Amino acid sequence: MSDSFQTIPGTFDILPDAQSSSAGTVAPSHAWQHVEGTIRRVMQRHGVREIRTPILEPTALIARGIGQLTDIVSKEMFAFERGDAHYVLRPEVTAPVMRAYLQHHLAQLGGVQRLFYVGPCFRAERPQKGRYRQFHQFGTEYIGADDARADAETILLAVDIYRELGLTDFTVRLNSLGTAATRPAYKAALTAYLRPLAGQLSETSRERLESNPLRILDTKSEAERKLLEAAPVMLDFIDEESRAHYKDVKKHLEAAGLSFEEDPFLVRGLDYYTRTAFEIDSPVLGAQSTLAGGGRYDLLASEIGSKQEVPAVGFAAGMERLFLALEAAGIVLPEAAAPDVFVVTLGDRATDHAFPLIRAWRQSGLSVVYDLKGRSMKAQMREANRQQARRVVILGDAELDAGMAQLKQMDTGEQQSVPLSGLPGLLSAAT
RNA sequence: GUGACCGUAGCUCAGUCGGUUAGAGCGCCAGGUUGUGGCCCUGGAGGUCGGGGGUUCAAAUCCCCUCGGUCACCCCA
């Protein structure tokens, strides 16, 4: 073990078969395919189209996009340089998607761009349950929309994906952060309220009192939460338009029959959010309880160089956390598809003869497998059983001479002798 | 970055008052059926007991270091 290579801490392999090893694989590859398939299907129904952006982005895009002072940028990025160029492995994909929107002048296409993505992101944090250094996010970005329906649809889209997967045990929390113009007043009020209480705050919260007081709002400390109970509330400070927007978002969510909680202390870790902010939490995830988070980010485009303001709203969700939640909920994902046919051969002539036949059957759309180790018939049958092949074709030299083959139905054990020429028809017929 | 706990076969885990060739179940391979799976029986392969150093006549077991894992803080998907 000492000389061999392993995955880098906080990363993992996704294997075809479930493995409950310590350096866990989270879920087997077919489970990933199933979940991703569900995501794509629900996205498709909403008219949301896929965008794929590079893993590698310019460091400045991320730094300016999500805020120089955020922890992600200040200490959690995998960044490096070559020559004069500075690169990062993307820690999230909202800024890259907005970059693509601006770079390709997607606004010129008219209307709202409804985009989604699924793919890996990277953060140099210490791994723990539900948190990895290479992790996978899916999410949407509705770019060019300031309508409150876009905010509501974004939230409902995430909810629909979870429900379609069978997940029901989660809560949606909602807040409005107002605009860049109204935030300073709230910040000042919050700071004024907390300053006299500084003695009772944790060290990090005391530091934030000066740097980023809003982040104190989502402290985990019981004591601090108590102090915050009487704190001024953001909603009282936001402008009329934001208030109306927030009201509309709630109206649409209610019309859709979604139950949600208003959480006046919900803030998000990235700087670009305005107005709507939301989180979807699962009670089963332990310390990393956030399944998905998102909101409106009308400032981002300008932040990364757009001359025009571009209203936008979206969410990002963690794949790994989704798998944890599914498992905790006892939701069993479909098994990987079993092969239609397993071909057992006996003797060199039959083995050689089968090779092109197998290829032809595969070309006709069947899933066909066979043993590549030249093993005994018994071993080949065992393998067929292990792979849960529905049918087995047995071809030996004796059959070959007679132009026949044995066709065995594995679930019933029924076996019949059939002419080789008739096999393609029999195999492609339904069980 | 900080802290706690953990590290014995592919997997799940026994095995510590230090004492001969390190075990089980499952999985894998083979045989029992000279050409037939799932059940059963028999046998087998697979481990430098994470790695290094130390104490000792003797270390999986005690000590130190190191690497890795897990969880939590921080932060966040």
Side-chain angles (χ1 to χ4, degrees), chain A residues 212-258:
Chain A
N212 194 355
L214 296 190
R215 298 225 41 85
I216 299 176
L217 294 178
D218 62 0
T219 177
K220 277 181 185 168
S221 150
E222 274 303 318
E224 294 190 349
R225 284 195 169 284
K226 256 204 140 53
L227 292 180
L228 285 168
E229 275 172 13
V233 164
M234 188 134 42
L235 285 176
D236 294 335
F237 286 78
I238 69 179
D239 57 290
E240 243 353 278
E241 271 183 53
S242 292
R243 201 185 306 275
H245 183 90
Y246 183 56
K247 206 176 142 196
D248 281 347
V249 173
K250 289 192 290 181
K251 178 182 77 184
H252 291 126
L253 290 177
E254 280 157 9
L258 181 76

mmCIF file of all heavy atoms in Angstrom, chain A residues 212-258:
data_model
loop_
_atom_site.group_PDB
_atom_site.id
_atom_site.type_symbol
_atom_site.label_atom_id
_atom_site.label_comp_id
_atom_site.label_asym_id
_atom_site.label_seq_id
_atom_site.Cartn_x
_atom_site.Cartn_y
_atom_site.Cartn_z
ATOM 1 N N ASN A 212 -17.418 41.650 7.630
ATOM 2 C CA ASN A 212 -18.598 41.170 6.908
ATOM 3 C C ASN A 212 -19.687 40.743 7.893
ATOM 4 O O ASN A 212 -19.958 39.566 8.083
ATOM 5 C CB ASN A 212 -18.188 39.976 6.020
ATOM 6 C CG ASN A 212 -19.248 39.647 4.990
ATOM 7 O OD1 ASN A 212 -20.328 40.241 4.992
ATOM 8 N ND2 ASN A 212 -18.958 38.689 4.137
ATOM 9 N N PRO A 213 -20.321 41.758 8.521
ATOM 10 C CA PRO A 213 -21.247 41.469 9.627
ATOM 11 C C PRO A 213 -22.403 40.543 9.237
ATOM 12 O O PRO A 213 -22.914 39.814 10.089
ATOM 13 C CB PRO A 213 -21.770 42.850 10.042
ATOM 14 C CG PRO A 213 -21.377 43.771 8.952
ATOM 15 C CD PRO A 213 -20.190 43.199 8.269
ATOM 16 N N LEU A 214 -22.792 40.556 7.949
ATOM 17 C CA LEU A 214 -23.926 39.716 7.560
ATOM 18 C C LEU A 214 -23.661 38.240 7.818
ATOM 19 O O LEU A 214 -24.575 37.468 8.105
ATOM 20 C CB LEU A 214 -24.268 39.924 6.082
ATOM 21 C CG LEU A 214 -24.753 41.315 5.675
ATOM 22 C CD1 LEU A 214 -25.283 41.286 4.251
ATOM 23 C CD2 LEU A 214 -25.814 41.817 6.630
ATOM 24 N N ARG A 215 -22.399 37.846 7.718
ATOM 25 C CA ARG A 215 -22.092 36.428 7.873
ATOM 26 C C ARG A 215 -22.283 35.943 9.310
ATOM 27 O O ARG A 215 -22.376 34.750 9.554
ATOM 28 C CB ARG A 215 -20.664 36.134 7.400
ATOM 29 C CG ARG A 215 -20.494 36.442 5.922
ATOM 30 C CD ARG A 215 -19.765 35.369 5.157
ATOM 31 N NE ARG A 215 -20.133 34.024 5.531
ATOM 32 C CZ ARG A 215 -21.166 33.357 5.041
ATOM 33 N NH1 ARG A 215 -21.963 33.921 4.182
ATOM 34 N NH2 ARG A 215 -21.389 32.126 5.405
ATOM 35 N N ILE A 216 -22.335 36.892 10.237
ATOM 36 C CA ILE A 216 -22.597 36.489 11.626
ATOM 37 C C ILE A 216 -23.989 35.883 11.733
ATOM 38 O O ILE A 216 -24.258 35.029 12.575
ATOM 39 C CB ILE A 216 -22.478 37.706 12.577
ATOM 40 C CG1 ILE A 216 -21.056 38.275 12.498
ATOM 41 C CG2 ILE A 216 -22.806 37.309 14.014
ATOM 42 C CD1 ILE A 216 -20.860 39.537 13.313
ATOM 43 N N LEU A 217 -24.866 36.287 10.809
ATOM 44 C CA LEU A 217 -26.263 35.849 10.893
ATOM 45 C C LEU A 217 -26.421 34.345 10.794
ATOM 46 O O LEU A 217 -27.362 33.776 11.327
ATOM 47 C CB LEU A 217 -27.092 36.525 9.797
ATOM 48 C CG LEU A 217 -27.241 38.042 9.925
ATOM 49 C CD1 LEU A 217 -28.031 38.585 8.756
ATOM 50 C CD2 LEU A 217 -27.919 38.410 11.237
ATOM 51 N N ASP A 218 -25.522 33.678 10.066
ATOM 52 C CA ASP A 218 -25.727 32.233 9.962
ATOM 53 C C ASP A 218 -24.763 31.440 10.835
ATOM 54 O O ASP A 218 -24.340 30.350 10.504
ATOM 55 C CB ASP A 218 -25.706 31.753 8.507
ATOM 56 C CG ASP A 218 -24.382 31.995 7.826
ATOM 57 O OD1 ASP A 218 -23.472 32.547 8.481
ATOM 58 O OD2 ASP A 218 -24.239 31.643 6.658
ATOM 59 N N THR A 219 -24.473 31.997 11.977
ATOM 60 C CA THR A 219 -23.638 31.303 12.945
ATOM 61 C C THR A 219 -24.325 30.026 13.419
ATOM 62 O O THR A 219 -25.545 29.913 13.379
ATOM 63 C CB THR A 219 -23.367 32.197 14.176
ATOM 64 O OG1 THR A 219 -22.603 31.451 15.119
ATOM 65 C CG2 THR A 219 -24.689 32.584 14.843
ATOM 66 N N LYS A 220 -23.509 29.062 13.823
ATOM 67 C CA LYS A 220 -24.086 27.820 14.336
ATOM 68 C C LYS A 220 -24.177 27.829 15.849
ATOM 69 O O LYS A 220 -24.792 26.956 16.448
ATOM 70 C CB LYS A 220 -23.230 26.628 13.897
ATOM 71 C CG LYS A 220 -23.545 26.158 12.495
ATOM 72 C CD LYS A 220 -22.693 24.966 12.120
ATOM 73 C CE LYS A 220 -22.929 24.581 10.670
ATOM 74 N NZ LYS A 220 -21.933 23.630 10.194
ATOM 75 N N SER A 221 -23.520 28.824 16.443
ATOM 76 C CA SER A 221 -23.474 28.872 17.905
ATOM 77 C C SER A 221 -24.839 29.195 18.503
ATOM 78 O O SER A 221 -25.482 30.186 18.134
ATOM 79 C CB SER A 221 -22.439 29.910 18.338
ATOM 80 O OG SER A 221 -22.804 30.478 19.566
ATOM 81 N N GLU A 222 -25.268 28.360 19.424
ATOM 82 C CA GLU A 222 -26.558 28.562 20.091
ATOM 83 C C GLU A 222 -26.602 29.918 20.773
ATOM 84 O O GLU A 222 -27.574 30.655 20.656
ATOM 85 C CB GLU A 222 -26.783 27.461 21.137
ATOM 86 C CG GLU A 222 -27.400 26.191 20.595
ATOM 87 C CD GLU A 222 -28.741 26.435 19.904
ATOM 88 O OE1 GLU A 222 -29.564 27.218 20.437
ATOM 89 O OE2 GLU A 222 -28.966 25.846 18.826
ATOM 90 N N ALA A 223 -25.522 30.220 21.480
ATOM 91 C CA ALA A 223 -25.466 31.467 22.241
ATOM 92 C C ALA A 223 -25.627 32.673 21.320
ATOM 93 O O ALA A 223 -26.380 33.608 21.603
ATOM 94 C CB ALA A 223 -24.139 31.552 23.000
ATOM 95 N N GLU A 224 -24.925 32.596 20.180
ATOM 96 C CA GLU A 224 -25.004 33.729 19.259
ATOM 97 C C GLU A 224 -26.380 33.823 18.620
ATOM 98 O O GLU A 224 -26.889 34.916 18.362
ATOM 99 C CB GLU A 224 -23.908 33.607 18.198
ATOM 100 C CG GLU A 224 -22.516 33.748 18.795
ATOM 101 C CD GLU A 224 -21.434 33.873 17.744
ATOM 102 O OE1 GLU A 224 -21.716 33.653 16.552
ATOM 103 O OE2 GLU A 224 -20.303 34.203 18.123
ATOM 104 N N ARG A 225 -26.977 32.671 18.383
ATOM 105 C CA ARG A 225 -28.324 32.700 17.807
ATOM 106 C C ARG A 225 -29.296 33.409 18.750
ATOM 107 O O ARG A 225 -30.174 34.142 18.327
ATOM 108 C CB ARG A 225 -28.810 31.266 17.550
ATOM 109 C CG ARG A 225 -28.168 30.642 16.329
ATOM 110 C CD ARG A 225 -28.920 29.397 15.882
ATOM 111 N NE ARG A 225 -28.453 28.955 14.579
ATOM 112 C CZ ARG A 225 -28.764 29.542 13.437
ATOM 113 N NH1 ARG A 225 -29.557 30.599 13.430
ATOM 114 N NH2 ARG A 225 -28.286 29.099 12.300
ATOM 115 N N LYS A 226 -29.095 33.172 20.021
ATOM 116 C CA LYS A 226 -29.955 33.830 21.019
ATOM 117 C C LYS A 226 -29.785 35.338 20.965
ATOM 118 O O LYS A 226 -30.753 36.087 20.978
ATOM 119 C CB LYS A 226 -29.588 33.315 22.418
ATOM 120 C CG LYS A 226 -30.615 32.322 22.934
ATOM 121 C CD LYS A 226 -30.642 32.225 24.446
ATOM 122 C CE LYS A 226 -32.061 32.121 24.983
ATOM 123 N NZ LYS A 226 -32.839 31.045 24.381
ATOM 124 N N LEU A 227 -28.528 35.752 20.870
ATOM 125 C CA LEU A 227 -28.257 37.188 20.792
ATOM 126 C C LEU A 227 -28.935 37.805 19.581
ATOM 127 O O LEU A 227 -29.351 38.958 19.589
ATOM 128 C CB LEU A 227 -26.750 37.438 20.698
ATOM 129 C CG LEU A 227 -25.901 37.118 21.920
ATOM 130 C CD1 LEU A 227 -24.442 37.421 21.646
ATOM 131 C CD2 LEU A 227 -26.393 37.932 23.113
ATOM 132 N N LEU A 228 -29.029 37.014 18.521
ATOM 133 C CA LEU A 228 -29.554 37.544 17.264
ATOM 134 C C LEU A 228 -31.075 37.645 17.246
ATOM 135 O O LEU A 228 -31.651 38.314 16.395
ATOM 136 C CB LEU A 228 -29.093 36.658 16.098
ATOM 137 C CG LEU A 228 -27.618 36.818 15.699
ATOM 138 C CD1 LEU A 228 -27.205 35.712 14.750
ATOM 139 C CD2 LEU A 228 -27.380 38.175 15.065
ATOM 140 N N GLU A 229 -31.700 36.998 18.218
ATOM 141 C CA GLU A 229 -33.165 36.972 18.192
ATOM 142 C C GLU A 229 -33.773 38.365 18.136
ATOM 143 O O GLU A 229 -34.790 38.584 17.469
ATOM 144 C CB GLU A 229 -33.700 36.209 19.420
ATOM 145 C CG GLU A 229 -33.741 34.711 19.189
ATOM 146 C CD GLU A 229 -34.087 33.925 20.446
ATOM 147 O OE1 GLU A 229 -34.527 34.556 21.430
ATOM 148 O OE2 GLU A 229 -33.904 32.699 20.434
ATOM 149 N N ALA A 230 -33.135 39.298 18.824
ATOM 150 C CA ALA A 230 -33.687 40.653 18.854
ATOM 151 C C ALA A 230 -32.995 41.571 17.845
ATOM 152 O O ALA A 230 -33.220 42.782 17.840
ATOM 153 C CB ALA A 230 -33.558 41.224 20.264
ATOM 154 N N ALA A 231 -32.167 41.004 17.011
ATOM 155 C CA ALA A 231 -31.406 41.825 16.066
ATOM 156 C C ALA A 231 -32.319 42.399 14.997
ATOM 157 O O ALA A 231 -33.390 41.865 14.710
ATOM 158 C CB ALA A 231 -30.324 40.976 15.420
ATOM 159 N N PRO A 232 -31.908 43.498 14.414
ATOM 160 C CA PRO A 232 -32.685 44.059 13.307
ATOM 161 C C PRO A 232 -32.742 43.057 12.159
ATOM 162 O O PRO A 232 -31.840 42.260 11.980
ATOM 163 C CB PRO A 232 -31.906 45.308 12.900
ATOM 164 C CG PRO A 232 -30.570 45.184 13.533
ATOM 165 C CD PRO A 232 -30.725 44.313 14.727
ATOM 166 N N VAL A 233 -33.825 43.124 11.413
ATOM 167 C CA VAL A 233 -34.076 42.149 10.358
ATOM 168 C C VAL A 233 -33.946 42.806 8.991
ATOM 169 O O VAL A 233 -34.436 43.911 8.763
ATOM 170 C CB VAL A 233 -35.488 41.559 10.559
ATOM 171 C CG1 VAL A 233 -35.948 40.862 9.295
ATOM 172 C CG2 VAL A 233 -35.485 40.603 11.743
ATOM 173 N N MET A 234 -33.276 42.129 8.108
ATOM 174 C CA MET A 234 -32.972 42.662 6.786
ATOM 175 C C MET A 234 -34.222 43.130 6.037
ATOM 176 O O MET A 234 -34.218 44.159 5.377
ATOM 177 C CB MET A 234 -32.262 41.590 5.972
ATOM 178 C CG MET A 234 -31.724 42.072 4.652
ATOM 179 S SD MET A 234 -30.044 41.518 4.364
ATOM 180 C CE MET A 234 -30.082 39.842 4.929
ATOM 181 N N LEU A 235 -35.282 42.354 6.190
ATOM 182 C CA LEU A 235 -36.505 42.668 5.429
ATOM 183 C C LEU A 235 -37.035 44.066 5.743
ATOM 184 O O LEU A 235 -37.692 44.689 4.919
ATOM 185 C CB LEU A 235 -37.591 41.620 5.730
ATOM 186 C CG LEU A 235 -37.393 40.267 5.064
ATOM 187 C CD1 LEU A 235 -38.470 39.288 5.501
ATOM 188 C CD2 LEU A 235 -37.404 40.423 3.540
ATOM 189 N N ASP A 236 -36.740 44.559 6.957
ATOM 190 C CA ASP A 236 -37.221 45.886 7.318
ATOM 191 C C ASP A 236 -36.436 46.983 6.627
ATOM 192 O O ASP A 236 -36.822 48.152 6.667
ATOM 193 C CB ASP A 236 -37.116 46.093 8.841
ATOM 194 C CG ASP A 236 -38.062 45.152 9.584
ATOM 195 O OD1 ASP A 236 -39.071 44.745 8.966
ATOM 196 O OD2 ASP A 236 -37.774 44.822 10.745
ATOM 197 N N PHE A 237 -35.337 46.605 6.016
ATOM 198 C CA PHE A 237 -34.468 47.631 5.440
ATOM 199 C C PHE A 237 -34.501 47.667 3.918
ATOM 200 O O PHE A 237 -33.942 48.559 3.310
ATOM 201 C CB PHE A 237 -33.022 47.405 5.902
ATOM 202 C CG PHE A 237 -32.818 47.792 7.330
ATOM 203 C CD1 PHE A 237 -33.234 46.950 8.352
ATOM 204 C CD2 PHE A 237 -32.211 49.002 7.672
ATOM 205 C CE1 PHE A 237 -33.059 47.296 9.677
ATOM 206 C CE2 PHE A 237 -32.033 49.360 9.000
ATOM 207 C CZ PHE A 237 -32.459 48.501 10.003
ATOM 208 N N ILE A 238 -35.101 46.661 3.322
ATOM 209 C CA ILE A 238 -34.996 46.611 1.865
ATOM 210 C C ILE A 238 -35.978 47.577 1.207
ATOM 211 O O ILE A 238 -36.969 47.996 1.797
ATOM 212 C CB ILE A 238 -35.207 45.167 1.340
ATOM 213 C CG1 ILE A 238 -36.658 44.721 1.532
ATOM 214 C CG2 ILE A 238 -34.257 44.208 2.034
ATOM 215 C CD1 ILE A 238 -36.885 43.303 1.003
ATOM 216 N N ASP A 239 -35.682 47.910 -0.022
ATOM 217 C CA ASP A 239 -36.446 48.932 -0.733
ATOM 218 C C ASP A 239 -37.812 48.396 -1.152
ATOM 219 O O ASP A 239 -38.063 47.189 -1.139
ATOM 220 C CB ASP A 239 -35.663 49.395 -1.959
ATOM 221 C CG ASP A 239 -35.343 48.229 -2.878
ATOM 222 O OD1 ASP A 239 -34.496 47.374 -2.473
ATOM 223 O OD2 ASP A 239 -35.921 48.137 -3.960
ATOM 224 N N GLU A 240 -38.650 49.300 -1.571
ATOM 225 C CA GLU A 240 -40.028 48.968 -1.958
ATOM 226 C C GLU A 240 -40.073 47.910 -3.053
ATOM 227 O O GLU A 240 -40.811 46.942 -2.982
ATOM 228 C CB GLU A 240 -40.730 50.241 -2.470
ATOM 229 C CG GLU A 240 -41.940 50.709 -1.666
ATOM 230 C CD GLU A 240 -42.392 49.772 -0.558
ATOM 231 O OE1 GLU A 240 -43.117 48.801 -0.893
ATOM 232 O OE2 GLU A 240 -42.051 49.976 0.621
ATOM 233 N N GLU A 241 -39.249 48.116 -4.072
ATOM 234 C CA GLU A 241 -39.266 47.196 -5.212
ATOM 235 C C GLU A 241 -38.847 45.795 -4.799
ATOM 236 O O GLU A 241 -39.443 44.802 -5.218
ATOM 237 C CB GLU A 241 -38.326 47.685 -6.317
ATOM 238 C CG GLU A 241 -38.985 48.626 -7.299
ATOM 239 C CD GLU A 241 -38.021 49.024 -8.407
ATOM 240 O OE1 GLU A 241 -37.443 48.096 -9.037
ATOM 241 O OE2 GLU A 241 -37.820 50.226 -8.594
ATOM 242 N N SER A 242 -37.822 45.706 -3.993
ATOM 243 C CA SER A 242 -37.361 44.401 -3.529
ATOM 244 C C SER A 242 -38.427 43.739 -2.690
ATOM 245 O O SER A 242 -38.656 42.531 -2.770
ATOM 246 C CB SER A 242 -36.074 44.540 -2.704
ATOM 247 O OG SER A 242 -35.008 44.934 -3.514
ATOM 248 N N ARG A 243 -39.091 44.554 -1.895
ATOM 249 C CA ARG A 243 -40.157 44.032 -1.045
ATOM 250 C C ARG A 243 -41.276 43.445 -1.911
ATOM 251 O O ARG A 243 -41.772 42.355 -1.653
ATOM 252 C CB ARG A 243 -40.707 45.162 -0.160
ATOM 253 C CG ARG A 243 -41.428 44.691 1.078
ATOM 254 C CD ARG A 243 -42.041 45.872 1.822
ATOM 255 N NE ARG A 243 -41.044 46.896 2.112
ATOM 256 C CZ ARG A 243 -40.244 46.852 3.186
ATOM 257 N NH1 ARG A 243 -40.335 45.864 4.039
ATOM 258 N NH2 ARG A 243 -39.358 47.811 3.401
ATOM 259 N N ALA A 244 -41.620 44.191 -2.960
ATOM 260 C CA ALA A 244 -42.678 43.732 -3.862
ATOM 261 C C ALA A 244 -42.235 42.454 -4.582
ATOM 262 O O ALA A 244 -43.008 41.506 -4.759
ATOM 263 C CB ALA A 244 -43.008 44.820 -4.872
ATOM 264 N N HIS A 245 -40.967 42.442 -4.977
ATOM 265 C CA HIS A 245 -40.420 41.284 -5.668
ATOM 266 C C HIS A 245 -40.487 40.047 -4.762
ATOM 267 O O HIS A 245 -40.924 38.971 -5.175
ATOM 268 C CB HIS A 245 -38.964 41.575 -6.051
ATOM 269 C CG HIS A 245 -38.311 40.481 -6.845
ATOM 270 N ND1 HIS A 245 -38.337 40.426 -8.207
ATOM 271 C CD2 HIS A 245 -37.613 39.382 -6.449
ATOM 272 C CE1 HIS A 245 -37.690 39.352 -8.625
ATOM 273 N NE2 HIS A 245 -37.234 38.698 -7.570
ATOM 274 N N TYR A 246 -40.080 40.243 -3.537
ATOM 275 C CA TYR A 246 -40.085 39.152 -2.555
ATOM 276 C C TYR A 246 -41.504 38.626 -2.359
ATOM 277 O O TYR A 246 -41.739 37.407 -2.327
ATOM 278 C CB TYR A 246 -39.521 39.683 -1.237
ATOM 279 C CG TYR A 246 -39.392 38.646 -0.137
ATOM 280 C CD1 TYR A 246 -38.657 37.489 -0.327
ATOM 281 C CD2 TYR A 246 -40.002 38.855 1.098
ATOM 282 C CE1 TYR A 246 -38.524 36.552 0.685
ATOM 283 C CE2 TYR A 246 -39.873 37.924 2.121
ATOM 284 C CZ TYR A 246 -39.141 36.767 1.895
ATOM 285 O OH TYR A 246 -39.014 35.848 2.911
ATOM 286 N N LYS A 247 -42.445 39.572 -2.268
ATOM 287 C CA LYS A 247 -43.841 39.205 -2.092
ATOM 288 C C LYS A 247 -44.330 38.368 -3.274
ATOM 289 O O LYS A 247 -45.027 37.362 -3.114
ATOM 290 C CB LYS A 247 -44.682 40.484 -1.984
ATOM 291 C CG LYS A 247 -45.965 40.307 -1.222
ATOM 292 C CD LYS A 247 -46.671 41.657 -1.080
ATOM 293 C CE LYS A 247 -48.180 41.471 -1.223
ATOM 294 N NZ LYS A 247 -48.882 42.736 -1.470
ATOM 295 N N ASP A 248 -43.917 38.767 -4.462
ATOM 296 C CA ASP A 248 -44.315 38.036 -5.666
ATOM 297 C C ASP A 248 -43.722 36.631 -5.683
ATOM 298 O O ASP A 248 -44.377 35.668 -6.081
ATOM 299 C CB ASP A 248 -43.871 38.794 -6.928
ATOM 300 C CG ASP A 248 -44.815 39.946 -7.245
ATOM 301 O OD1 ASP A 248 -45.914 39.995 -6.641
ATOM 302 O OD2 ASP A 248 -44.451 40.780 -8.084
ATOM 303 N N VAL A 249 -42.470 36.538 -5.296
ATOM 304 C CA VAL A 249 -41.832 35.218 -5.265
ATOM 305 C C VAL A 249 -42.633 34.297 -4.343
ATOM 306 O O VAL A 249 -42.972 33.170 -4.702
ATOM 307 C CB VAL A 249 -40.366 35.321 -4.778
ATOM 308 C CG1 VAL A 249 -39.780 33.922 -4.586
ATOM 309 C CG2 VAL A 249 -39.526 36.118 -5.772
ATOM 310 N N LYS A 250 -42.954 34.807 -3.172
ATOM 311 C CA LYS A 250 -43.726 34.002 -2.217
ATOM 312 C C LYS A 250 -45.082 33.638 -2.790
ATOM 313 O O LYS A 250 -45.555 32.497 -2.637
ATOM 314 C CB LYS A 250 -43.894 34.770 -0.899
ATOM 315 C CG LYS A 250 -42.609 34.887 -0.104
ATOM 316 C CD LYS A 250 -42.864 35.397 1.306
ATOM 317 C CE LYS A 250 -43.271 36.868 1.260
ATOM 318 N NZ LYS A 250 -43.518 37.410 2.621
ATOM 319 N N LYS A 251 -45.699 34.611 -3.464
ATOM 320 C CA LYS A 251 -47.016 34.367 -4.049
ATOM 321 C C LYS A 251 -46.970 33.199 -5.028
ATOM 322 O O LYS A 251 -47.814 32.300 -4.998
ATOM 323 C CB LYS A 251 -47.486 35.642 -4.780
ATOM 324 C CG LYS A 251 -48.828 35.503 -5.479
ATOM 325 C CD LYS A 251 -49.215 36.786 -6.217
ATOM 326 C CE LYS A 251 -48.451 36.912 -7.522
ATOM 327 N NZ LYS A 251 -48.717 38.180 -8.234
ATOM 328 N N HIS A 252 -45.934 33.209 -5.876
ATOM 329 C CA HIS A 252 -45.838 32.148 -6.876
ATOM 330 C C HIS A 252 -45.510 30.792 -6.250
ATOM 331 O O HIS A 252 -45.989 29.764 -6.711
ATOM 332 C CB HIS A 252 -44.789 32.510 -7.938
ATOM 333 C CG HIS A 252 -45.223 33.657 -8.796
ATOM 334 N ND1 HIS A 252 -44.465 34.792 -8.970
ATOM 335 C CD2 HIS A 252 -46.354 33.852 -9.515
ATOM 336 C CE1 HIS A 252 -45.109 35.628 -9.762
ATOM 337 N NE2 HIS A 252 -46.266 35.092 -10.111
ATOM 338 N N LEU A 253 -44.709 30.816 -5.221
ATOM 339 C CA LEU A 253 -44.398 29.560 -4.547
ATOM 340 C C LEU A 253 -45.645 28.993 -3.885
ATOM 341 O O LEU A 253 -45.897 27.784 -3.921
ATOM 342 C CB LEU A 253 -43.296 29.772 -3.501
ATOM 343 C CG LEU A 253 -41.905 30.072 -4.051
ATOM 344 C CD1 LEU A 253 -40.923 30.329 -2.917
ATOM 345 C CD2 LEU A 253 -41.417 28.938 -4.938
ATOM 346 N N GLU A 254 -46.423 29.895 -3.293
ATOM 347 C CA GLU A 254 -47.658 29.446 -2.647
ATOM 348 C C GLU A 254 -48.633 28.909 -3.682
ATOM 349 O O GLU A 254 -49.289 27.885 -3.468
ATOM 350 C CB GLU A 254 -48.288 30.595 -1.843
ATOM 351 C CG GLU A 254 -47.601 30.774 -0.491
ATOM 352 C CD GLU A 254 -47.776 32.182 0.088
ATOM 353 O OE1 GLU A 254 -48.579 32.963 -0.475
ATOM 354 O OE2 GLU A 254 -47.094 32.489 1.078
ATOM 355 N N ALA A 255 -48.696 29.593 -4.813
ATOM 356 C CA ALA A 255 -49.599 29.140 -5.879
ATOM 357 C C ALA A 255 -49.203 27.746 -6.348
ATOM 358 O O ALA A 255 -50.039 26.952 -6.784
ATOM 359 C CB ALA A 255 -49.556 30.117 -7.042
ATOM 360 N N ALA A 256 -47.913 27.447 -6.253
ATOM 361 C CA ALA A 256 -47.431 26.136 -6.688
ATOM 362 C C ALA A 256 -47.592 25.093 -5.580
ATOM 363 O O ALA A 256 -47.240 23.929 -5.759
ATOM 364 C CB ALA A 256 -45.967 26.230 -7.109
ATOM 365 N N GLY A 257 -48.072 25.547 -4.436
ATOM 366 C CA GLY A 257 -48.315 24.619 -3.346
ATOM 367 C C GLY A 257 -47.058 24.212 -2.598
ATOM 368 O O GLY A 257 -47.039 23.205 -1.897
ATOM 369 N N LEU A 258 -46.010 25.010 -2.732
ATOM 370 C CA LEU A 258 -44.769 24.665 -2.037
ATOM 371 C C LEU A 258 -44.765 25.271 -0.638
ATOM 372 O O LEU A 258 -45.028 26.458 -0.460
ATOM 373 C CB LEU A 258 -43.558 25.201 -2.810
ATOM 374 C CG LEU A 258 -42.208 24.872 -2.176
ATOM 375 C CD1 LEU A 258 -41.853 23.417 -2.420
ATOM 376 C CD2 LEU A 258 -41.106 25.784 -2.683
#
